[in-house]
Amino acid sequence: QQQVKQSPQSLIVQKGGISIINCAYENTAFDYFPWYQQFPGKGPALLIAIRPDVSEKKEGRFTISFNKSAKQFSLHIMDSQPGDSATYFCAASKTQAGTALIFGKGTTLSVSS
Amino acid sequence: EPEVTQTPSHQVTQMGQEVILRCVPISNHLYFYWYRQILGQKVEFLVSFYNNEISEKSEIFDDQFSVERPDGSNFTLKIRSTKLEDSAMYFCASSRIGQGQETQYFGPGTRLLVL
């Protein structure tokens, strides 16, 4: 019940294309869904996050789509750039401070120029 | 912009030795966390800490692990007797109280190699 399933494991996208990464969760108590971006040798950095009271959140080229009934959420990267090449992790937790972030297994994105 | 810092960046130790990983959380944050990431795998939660007490811990955080806030700025993770399978990247994170409390900010990590 604590798992977050993420797909695909890896993704290759042409520059300018749309990158889509999907996640599914099981625990209905989760109410905070962040995406983290990680470059090699660095710590995860928060990219964008959503709560279940909205179905979509957009920040620049990054959009989260959220489907509460299906318990799924996805990250869309529009106009993908070579600098977006990184590993992306979805995560889920409760909003309450001090609770664990449950991460997906990660998606390695390569944007070719 | 304030950030979480961690030392050392790399640590090599022999199996059975004790290691202490250090973190300086963001200054106005009061919740602290440790996560680990075995090479090529997902980030896994170890423990959260608030007001000098453990708030939550995972199955991974057994009696070999301990956390401490020895002073007003540092937060440490101790592994008493390291095992080969403890080799991983260890990330410290911190979060604030109140609005935005769910957002955890991660440090750059300490890569631990147990030989």
Side-chain angles (χ1 to χ4, degrees):
Chain A
Q1 259 223 328
Q2 286 283 78
Q3 280 192 37
V4 175
K5 294 181 181 178
Q6 182 172 348
S7 63
Q9 186 176 353
S10 62
L11 184 60
I12 299 174
V13 173
Q14 294 279 342
K15 179 181 175 182
I18 302 173
S19 304
I20 302 174
I21 306 170
N22 300 298
C23 283
Y25 64 98
E26 299 169 349
N27 189 343
T28 54
F30 290 150
D31 57 3
Y32 174 66
F33 303 90
W35 284 89
Y36 280 82
Q37 180 188 56
Q38 186 182 32
F39 293 104
K42 304 292 186 184
L46 179 66
L47 190 61
I48 187 172
I50 197 168
R51 288 192 180 80
D53 53 343
V54 296
S55 60
E56 186 174 282
K57 182 174 181 180
K58 184 176 179 180
E59 289 183 2
R61 296 184 295 109
F62 301 92
T63 300
I64 301 179
S65 297
F66 187 84
N67 185 331
K68 188 175 181 179
S69 60
K71 292 187 285 186
Q72 295 176 346
F73 58 110
S74 60
L75 175 69
H76 295 233
I77 306 174
M78 312 300 288
D79 187 26
S80 299
Q81 299 297 312
D84 296 332
S85 297
T87 299
Y88 293 81
F89 292 96
C90 63
S93 77
K94 301 171 192 175
T95 310
Q96 178 183 348
T99 58
L101 278 171
I102 307 300
F103 283 85
K105 290 189 175 182
T107 296
T108 302
L109 171 65
S110 295
V111 181
S112 59
S113 52
Chain B
E1 186 174 321
E3 49 186 32
V4 176
T5 59
Q6 291 184 242
T7 55
S9 58
H10 294 79
Q11 174 123 19
V12 181
T13 190
Q14 295 291 324
M15 188 170 56
Q17 295 296 304
E18 174 183 286
V19 295
I20 297 176
L21 310 183
R22 292 180 168 79
C23 167
V24 178
I26 295 172
S27 63
N28 63 343
H29 288 185
L30 296 178
Y31 276 94
F32 315 122
Y33 311 80
W34 283 102
Y35 290 81
R36 78 171 185 191
Q37 184 180 30
I38 295 171
L39 187 64
Q41 298 187 25
K42 67 178 178 179
V43 179
E44 298 175 292
F45 171 77
L46 294 178
V47 65
S48 61
F49 188 87
Y50 171 73
N51 198 26
N52 286 317
E53 290 185 352
I54 290 175
S55 298
E56 185 176 335
K57 62 181 182 178
S58 72
E59 295 173 349
I60 303 168
F61 194 87
D62 61 21
D63 291 344
Q64 292 297 316
F65 293 90
S66 63
V67 289
E68 188 181 29
R69 187 147 163 88
D71 55 45
S73 58
N74 289 284
F75 178 53
T76 62
L77 174 70
K78 182 192 289 186
I79 309 175
R80 278 185 246 286
S81 178
T82 50
K83 304 170 190 170
L84 296 177
E85 54 264 37
D86 293 327
S87 295
M89 182 75 97
Y90 288 81
F91 293 108
C92 174
S94 67
S95 65
R96 60 170 64 95
I97 296 285
Q99 189 174 7
Q101 64 184 11
E102 67 281 355
T103 300
Q104 297 181 25
Y105 297 86
F106 284 74
T110 293
R111 183 169 295 284
L112 175 65
L113 178 60
V114 182
L115 301 177

